Amino acid sequence: MAYPDCALALAFEGVSLRRRRADGWIAQGQALFDAPDMRTALEKLRARATGPDTNPLAPVLLVLPRDQVLYRRIRPRHSGPDGASAVREALEGQTPYPVDKLRFSFERLANGGIAYAAVALETLEEAEGFARANGFDPRGVMAPPREGLIDTPAWFGTSTQEAPDGWLARPELVDWAVAPEDSTLPARPDAARIAPDRANDHDVARQVPPLR
């Protein structure tokens, strides 16, 4: 699969578009959900992300807000090469979802531990639905690192990809150490929804309990 050079970062206040360059991710604009010109702003972002192919939807990577992702470090009880099994075992009972309804990403630590990030498949479906309803073609979903827990961006693929073990190998992309952030958006930590109903009724956080 060809991965796009644009990333659409989702936040409770709105979305922002980033384009990957050799020196990192460059801001391309944002759309705030409570702005009167929200639909126009989303259309401008879509136009900036449209590639040279004939796809009417603009191909993007989606970046979830950290509050929709569970970040943890664990020390497996048994040593072995199968880090995915250790993560699945650790996830049992840690979220409102059964483990087979989660998607996770993990990395091994120098001390023998494992750092992982997990998200509900329902959250991936909601994020992808919002993107498609607003003219974007989500080619994969990722999440930023979380300081002190996981050092690299998490990769979740898409909700429709087969991942029988709950995870997907991270594709070879440039600048994985530099994740597109939503830090340019105004902070509003008490916000409960990713988008008001007027954003085509596609709400990433709708009825999806945060995994923490």
Side-chain angles (χ1 to χ4, degrees), residues 125-136:
E125 292 165 356
E126 291 285 347
E128 293 162 6
F130 168 81
R132 292 191 187 96
N134 288 284
F136 297 93

Side-chain angles (χ1 to χ4, degrees), residues 3-187:
Y3 291 96
D5 287 328
C6 284
L8 191 69
L10 310 177
F12 289 109
E13 299 79 21
V15 299
S16 59
L17 185 71
R18 301 286 189 274
R19 184 176 294 277
R20 187 172 51 233
R21 303 292 191 192
D23 56 347
W25 295 86
I26 307 302
Q28 300 290 297
Q30 63 184 23
L32 300 180
F33 293 130
D34 59 0
D37 62 345
M38 182 267 296
R39 291 192 183 280
T40 300
L42 280 171
E43 175 57 29
K44 288 180 179 179
L45 296 186
R46 189 204 64 78
R48 290 171 184 166
T50 300
D53 56 25
T54 58
N55 187 349
L57 301 180
V60 293
L61 297 173
L62 296 181
V63 185
L64 295 177
R66 288 186 179 91
D67 284 348
Q68 292 295 310
V69 180
L70 175 70
Y71 298 86
R72 290 286 188 274
R73 286 190 173 194
I74 59 172
R75 184 175 292 277
R77 292 187 296 175
H78 306 288
S79 61
D82 189 4
S85 294
V87 174
R88 287 196 301 272
E89 182 179 351
L91 282 169
E92 290 285 354
Q94 294 299 305
T95 80
Y97 302 90
V99 175
D100 63 357
K101 298 297 183 183
L102 300 173
R103 183 71 56 80
F104 60 85
S105 176
F106 70 95
E107 61 185 42
R108 292 188 175 277
L109 305 174
N111 64 3
I114 293 175
Y116 71 83
V119 68
L121 282 171
E122 184 178 1
T123 300
L124 299 187
E125 292 165 356
E126 291 285 347
E128 293 162 6
F130 168 81
R132 292 191 187 96
N134 288 284
F136 297 93
D137 176 18
R139 302 284 181 87
V141 184
M142 55 193 291
R146 189 152 204 157
E147 185 176 359
L149 290 174
I150 191 166
D151 297 328
T152 59
W155 175 254
F156 303 120
T158 65
S159 62
T160 58
Q161 284 182 275
E162 292 291 333
D165 292 330
W167 69 287
L168 294 163
R170 197 191 329 253
E172 293 298 325
L173 294 177
V174 298
D175 296 329
W176 271 114
V178 184
E181 294 278 4
D182 57 4
S183 57
T184 61
L185 294 170

